[in-house]
Amino acid sequence: MVWINAVLQGVLLGGLYALFAAGLSLMFGVMRFINMAHGDFIITAAYLLLALVTGFAIHPALAVPLVIVALAAAGYLNQRILLNRVLGKDILPPVLVTFGLSIIIQNALLEVFSADSQKLQAGWLDTASFKLSEDLAIGALPLLMFLAAVAVIAGLQFVFYKTPLGRMLRATSDDPEIVPLMGGSNAHIFAIATALASVVVAIAGIFLAMKTNFDPAAGPARLLFAFEVVIIGGLGSLWGTLIGGIILGVAQTVGAQIDTGSQVLAGHLVFLALLVVRPRGLFPKT
Amino acid sequence: MTVTDISPANTARNISYALRGIILIAVLALALAPMWASRADLRLFMEALSFLALAQMWNLLAGYTGLISVGQQAWVGLGGYFFFALAMFAGMPVLLAIPLAAIAAALVALPTAWVAFRLQGAYFAIGTWVIAEVFRLIAAQNGALGGGSGISLPVEIAKSLAESRNGREMVMYYLAFGIGIASVVLVWLLLRSKWGLALTAIRDSEPAAEAMGVVTRRVKFLIYILTAGVTALTGAFIFLQKLRITPDAAFSVNEWTAFVIFIVVIGGLGSIEGPIIGVLVFFALREIAADWGSWYLILMGAIAIAVMLINKRGIWGAVQVRWDVAAFPVRKILPERSRD
Amino acid sequence: MTTLLETRNLTAFYGDFQALFGVDITVGQGETVALIGSNGAGKSTFLRTLTGLLPAKGQDIRFEGQNIAGWAADRIHKAGIAMVPEGRRLFASLTVEENLLIGASGKRAGPWSLEKVYEIFPDLIAKKNNPGTALSGGQQQMVAIGRALMSNPTLLLCDEISLGLAPKVIKDIYEAVPLIREGGTSILVVEQDVGQAMAVADRVYCFMEGRVTLSGKPADLTKHQIAAAYFGAKNEGEAA
């Protein structure tokens, strides 16, 4: 029974990991761009929510949309002002610029919030659970997290395949050079893609704040999880991201069941094993 | 009659000679440092020489083969841990354990490269980071080597280098001197060999290099293994000097990769001179901003971003735009036809 | 006839390489103009400069009375210049219909719509949900033309639309030209096929080595003149 429970909790944890990964995947899909500060932006969103709710006593129902809007705006401006300048064939500038951003964000958070690890009290969400059997229960928060992940991915899928914006994003992914001949501005479309990714980053950060303890240096670990999920699922595949998240989540919880200290290590090892067996991921985009 | 030639080419040649002179004097001064420098200065030089070696290796990898690794801490850490294991459990002499630790790390790099090379570009970068994390987590799980809280090198092992404190410091200093200078010479010789042409071709244009018949994949693989080995050698020395190793210190991404990248990027990627300039700038900045705490790191991140926006080839790249100078000439220049 | 487009002394560079040397061209309202010339003569460069894909800051490109030189490509598109790029360049992950719809992103009003495009290229109706790149070359070209028309352009630029297509297919495609003119759109085509260009155009310009070497109405130009302008003066004797 403990194993079934471990798998079940892993699946739900996979929802959070899919949320970590979806933004990274989206940015790569549209502009072949990897944001090394991705995890730090997730942590920034978590701190922002914490500051609004506990620092400024703003009701969560208001604070959550505020965080989302703030991250989206920041993402748009960051792309427009900074990142668009380093996009191009040479991958070194974007990697180094976002690596530099990562260091700046971590230390700025440290300066503002100190190195103490924190967590947002989510009230009844922290404790509520649904009993499935005598020794099997699903926590309300993990369940909500998982459902949010499914909703976010379904939403992105809708935007990408059913709206004019999605058409433009896919066209940009195919052939950015001639998109201006269709009336689209590359700089704007890239920034919109980053804003959209940042909305997902904000949602991921909001759940992270409620789910676990975090500190200013917690970003890189989230970048690594997000990256592993994207590779496992297959580059550019949104639903693959959910599957990848579940695989990583289950690997970690089952690993923790075998040996408490091995949760993260087990996830990394399963990732590396899958990388050897399926280098293009489980659902590669053709 | 002598005619003063003030053509740009001649100016560049004069600057190049001057640079070579300065470097020669600096190397001599460093070689004699134990005679004139204070204990604190020597420690600083040791650290700078270690970082010079790490920076030369990262630059060889990223600047010439285009493999951007943010997981070099894997090799620093493995070098350190292998050294501790060999010295403590195999009872090996320190001066033998250090190179053997490097060789052991290079052997680990073989399967690692096989896995990491499945990823390209920025994904390779993050992949190397994952691998470094795996090593860190394994080290943290290893009880014999102290697990998460780490382990200290027994005093008798340190004393085996030399009985007196001064003697030990002398040995350590010359180890650092040797590693730092050797890293520069190694890269220089490599670039002057037939490999150099291949590496420069890959740096300038990978497709063109492929077209010229350079097997870029094999070159990249071998350079990856080589840099892993030398980085591990440096790591083994660093932790001999520190006398204590913990997984977090050994596999620190900030210390062994972020700082190193900063050094190379600001000094100038894809040149031998760049990392040297970068080390000077990095340590000067650190002396000035030591008390700024996290603001110092924020400044560093901002400078790295600024370099990428202004000139991707850093300080040395900016110098070369003005003058065609080289302190370490690696190009094979065809002899000019003699004019009668 | 009112002038729609006029370039004065237009130059273009690829890095240090100069590709255009002072090109003066006009296109009138409702006119169809062809640019002919051999490979590398500068015709495509000229089109890329008009669309803003190549920088033209500080130059003189009058379109409907405004100087559009230096505008971003998307702004020029919204002002009413659409282009059918060389090699068609359909978006691989978009269906035929999505490829057409994306052309309408600028939201300009005018006669063109999905229905209208399907009317002149009925072959596309059955394929509208296929990926754009899964079509034959001719059909892909129809999508590329339709995609440009969807923006309701005042001026349509066509870059080598007959390249690599069978004669029968080229004929089908050029049959659409009169239908496009009916809507009031002016057309500037780049063609290596001189016969095709002469048949369709009101006026032609011949390019050689980045300069205009000849211009006029097709009926007024002799074969001799064209050959000289196309291949250069030293071949004059052979052409005659």
Side-chain angles (χ1 to χ4, degrees):
Chain A
M1 196 49 85
V2 289
W3 297 104
I4 295 174
N5 185 51
V7 171
L8 186 65
Q9 304 309 329
V11 170
L12 297 178
L13 183 62
L16 183 63
Y17 291 170
L19 286 173
F20 289 169
L24 193 72
S25 173
L26 195 158
M27 282 178 74
F28 181 80
V30 175
M31 47 201 154
R32 306 286 177 274
F33 182 84
I34 308 246
N35 184 359
M36 303 287 285
H38 183 73
D40 305 298
F41 281 108
I42 293 174
I43 302 301
T44 305
Y47 270 113
L48 192 56
L49 182 70
L50 186 78
L52 290 176
V53 172
T54 59
F56 295 90
I58 292 172
H59 192 273
L62 181 62
V64 164
L66 270 178
V67 170
I68 293 175
V69 170
L71 264 277
Y76 185 93
L77 291 175
N78 184 29
Q79 187 70 41
R80 205 69 209 243
I81 295 168
L82 180 62
L83 302 183
N84 275 344
R85 288 171 201 272
V86 289
L87 280 183
K89 256 202 198 144
D90 186 358
I91 59 144
L92 182 83
V95 167
L96 291 193
V97 164
T98 52
F99 199 58
L101 266 184
S102 162
I103 290 171
I104 291 175
I105 293 172
Q106 284 178 45
N107 286 286
L109 289 176
L110 187 66
E111 202 61 39
V112 179
F113 295 101
S114 87
D116 300 340
S117 117
Q118 316 219 33
K119 182 179 174 301
L120 184 72
Q121 300 308 319
W124 64 270
L125 258 180
D126 276 338
T127 48
S129 70
F130 306 97
K131 227 174 163 122
L132 296 183
S133 75
E134 264 316 299
D135 31 26
L136 218 53
I138 293 182
L141 184 60
L143 183 65
L144 185 64
M145 238 158 48
F146 186 81
L147 295 177
V150 174
V152 162
I153 288 172
L156 287 177
Q157 194 80 13
F158 176 81
V159 169
F160 262 74
Y161 290 95
K162 301 282 181 224
T163 67
L165 171 66
R167 207 154 57 210
M168 206 50 125
L169 290 170
R170 280 184 292 143
T172 303
S173 167
D174 284 347
D175 191 350
E177 198 207 2
I178 64 157
V179 160
L181 297 179
M182 311 296 133
S185 146
N186 281 328
H188 176 68
I189 296 166
F190 289 155
I192 289 285
T194 303
L196 201 56
S198 301
V199 167
V200 184
V201 162
I203 295 170
I206 287 162
F207 280 111
L208 176 114
M210 294 189 284
K211 169 83 175 45
T212 175
N213 287 310
F214 57 94
D215 60 69
R222 272 68 204 182
L223 168 72
L224 297 190
F225 294 164
F227 159 75
E228 291 174 338
V229 167
V230 171
I231 299 286
I232 294 172
L235 290 179
S237 161
L238 280 169
W239 288 112
T241 305
L242 185 62
I243 306 293
I246 291 172
I247 290 173
L248 185 66
V250 171
Q252 288 192 357
T253 50
V254 169
Q257 191 65 49
I258 298 167
D259 170 33
T260 340
S262 306
Q263 175 169 356
V264 176
L265 182 59
H268 288 330
L269 292 176
V270 166
F271 158 73
L272 290 175
L274 282 169
L275 181 61
V276 169
V277 186
R278 296 286 300 257
R280 286 171 43 76
L282 297 175
F283 306 96
K285 218 171 129 192
T286 45
Chain B
M1 196 182 82
T2 37
V3 178
T4 320
D5 184 354
I6 52 159
S7 66
N10 200 52
T11 312
R13 207 175 318 137
N14 288 340
I15 296 176
S16 299
Y17 286 142
L19 281 175
R20 264 165 253 170
I22 292 170
I23 288 169
L24 206 64
I25 293 167
V27 170
L28 273 174
L30 280 175
L32 302 174
M35 294 180 183
W36 56 268
S38 71
R39 183 163 272 162
D41 286 342
L42 283 182
R43 292 197 78 84
L44 186 67
F45 292 161
M46 277 194 253
E47 209 186 342
L49 286 161
S50 307
F51 269 95
L52 177 61
L54 297 179
Q56 286 292 353
M57 289 306 114
W58 193 82
N59 177 48
L60 182 58
L61 198 60
Y64 288 92
T65 68
L67 289 170
I68 300 169
S69 163
V70 285
Q72 289 309 87
Q73 67 275 22
W75 312 117
V76 175
L78 271 192
Y81 268 103
F82 279 144
F83 165 68
F84 270 55
L86 289 169
M88 288 169 67
F89 305 127
M92 223 171 255
V94 168
L95 295 181
L96 183 62
I98 291 177
L100 275 183
I103 291 168
L107 288 176
V108 175
L110 288 170
T112 304
W114 181 68
V115 175
F117 276 41
R118 285 157 192 269
L119 297 162
Q120 258 127 41
Y123 280 109
F124 173 83
I126 311 182
T128 59
W129 196 349
V130 170
I131 289 164
E133 278 298 285
V134 167
F135 294 158
R136 180 179 70 85
L137 292 165
I138 291 174
Q141 298 265 311
N142 189 322
L145 286 163
S149 48
I151 197 163
S152 294
L153 200 65
V155 187
E156 52 276 19
I157 293 181
K159 282 203 169 147
S160 73
L161 276 175
E163 262 309 313
S164 70
R165 186 177 169 193
N166 276 336
R168 276 199 300 280
E169 280 178 349
M170 193 76 99
V171 175
M172 296 249 206
Y173 178 77
Y174 282 107
L175 274 176
F177 179 76
I179 290 172
I181 302 298
S183 71
V184 178
V185 173
L186 173 74
V187 175
W188 193 24
L189 291 178
L190 196 67
L191 291 177
R192 287 174 71 96
S193 72
K194 70 178 169 63
W195 279 75
L197 216 53
L199 284 169
T200 313
I202 296 173
R203 176 190 71 182
D204 294 340
S205 164
E206 202 171 322
E210 290 268 5
M212 279 160 54
V214 178
V215 189
T216 58
R217 203 184 149 80
R218 196 197 311 159
V219 172
K220 287 180 174 192
F221 186 85
L222 291 171
I223 293 293
Y224 182 84
I225 306 295
L226 175 73
T227 54
V230 178
T231 303
L233 184 79
T234 315
F237 167 73
I238 287 171
F239 286 97
L240 162 67
Q241 199 204 353
K242 287 187 189 291
L243 298 172
R244 178 169 178 77
I245 194 165
T246 66
D248 289 346
F251 297 97
S252 161
V253 65
N254 280 337
E255 194 93 2
W256 312 126
T257 295
F259 290 169
V260 169
I261 292 180
F262 175 81
I263 287 170
V264 176
V265 163
I266 192 164
L269 188 78
S271 66
I272 299 177
E273 294 86 351
I276 300 174
I277 296 171
V279 166
L280 295 175
V281 173
F282 176 75
F283 279 91
L285 195 64
R286 206 181 65 173
E287 293 299 302
I288 296 165
D291 310 328
W292 299 5
S294 34
W295 289 108
Y296 160 60
L297 293 163
I298 291 174
L299 176 72
M300 239 181 58
I303 291 177
I305 292 174
V307 169
M308 279 296 122
L309 292 177
I310 297 164
N311 184 344
K312 284 193 294 191
R313 299 242 169 243
I315 294 173
W316 186 248
V319 167
Q320 280 195 313
V321 168
R322 275 205 70 171
W323 301 287
D324 184 22
V325 294
F328 297 91
V330 292
R331 280 172 299 181
K332 296 205 169 57
I333 297 162
L334 295 172
E336 260 186 90
R337 233 182 267 160
S338 60
R339 293 186 205 100
D340 300 309
Chain C
M1 184 166 32
T2 46
T3 303
L4 178 66
L5 175 85
E6 183 174 12
T7 68
R8 282 186 210 137
N9 198 22
L10 194 71
T11 57
F13 291 85
Y14 293 102
D16 290 334
F17 174 75
Q18 186 163 9
L20 292 181
F21 299 83
V23 172
D24 301 323
I25 275 178
T26 57
V27 178
Q29 202 90 50
E31 220 184 1
T32 297
V33 173
L35 309 182
I36 59 173
S38 58
N39 240 336
K43 310 174 305 279
S44 294
T45 303
F46 180 73
L47 290 196
R48 289 173 67 82
T49 309
L50 288 188
T51 55
L53 287 183
L54 277 179
K57 215 174 162 87
Q59 303 215 50
D60 196 356
I61 306 175
R62 302 257 148 206
F63 178 67
E64 293 184 319
Q66 297 188 85
N67 189 359
I68 60 167
W71 287 17
D74 54 297
R75 187 170 167 210
I76 292 175
H77 178 267
K78 285 179 187 131
I81 299 182
M83 163 125 124
V84 184
E86 186 180 349
R88 307 183 276 269
R89 305 281 283 268
L90 297 188
F91 296 110
S93 61
L94 270 55
T95 64
V96 166
E97 188 149 307
E98 284 177 325
N99 265 289
L100 293 175
L101 284 170
I102 205 165
S105 302
K107 297 199 174 80
R108 284 169 57 87
W112 293 98
S113 61
L114 275 181
E115 293 71 34
K116 200 77 200 302
V117 170
Y118 288 143
E119 213 177 289
I120 64 166
F121 298 125
D123 287 9
L124 299 182
I125 298 173
K127 310 265 182 172
K128 66 178 186 184
N129 292 323
N130 292 25
T133 43
L135 273 56
S136 72
Q139 288 169 338
Q140 287 193 31
Q141 193 65 73
M142 292 172 191
V143 178
I145 295 171
R147 184 176 65 179
L149 289 173
M150 287 292 286
S151 70
N152 284 301
T154 319
L155 175 63
L156 179 69
L157 312 176
C158 298
D159 198 355
E160 306 277 16
I161 51 175
S162 61
L163 205 67
L165 299 180
K168 160 84 176 73
V169 180
I170 296 174
K171 193 172 147 279
D172 286 353
I173 285 173
Y174 270 98
E175 270 171 10
V177 167
L179 300 170
I180 296 169
R181 298 183 64 167
E182 260 173 37
T185 305
S186 305
I187 306 174
L188 185 58
V189 294
V190 158
E191 243 330 320
Q192 279 192 54
D193 180 341
V194 178
Q196 192 59 257
M198 293 295 182
V200 74
D202 300 315
R203 281 187 308 118
V204 298
Y205 289 88
C206 187
F207 275 61
M208 193 178 64
E209 290 170 359
R211 294 182 172 83
V212 172
T213 46
L214 181 73
S215 64
K217 295 196 163 104
D220 300 342
L221 301 174
T222 66
K223 271 192 177 165
H224 175 92
Q225 281 176 311
I226 293 168
Y230 199 103
F231 296 111
K234 58 179 171 231
N235 293 327
E236 219 169 328
E238 292 166 39

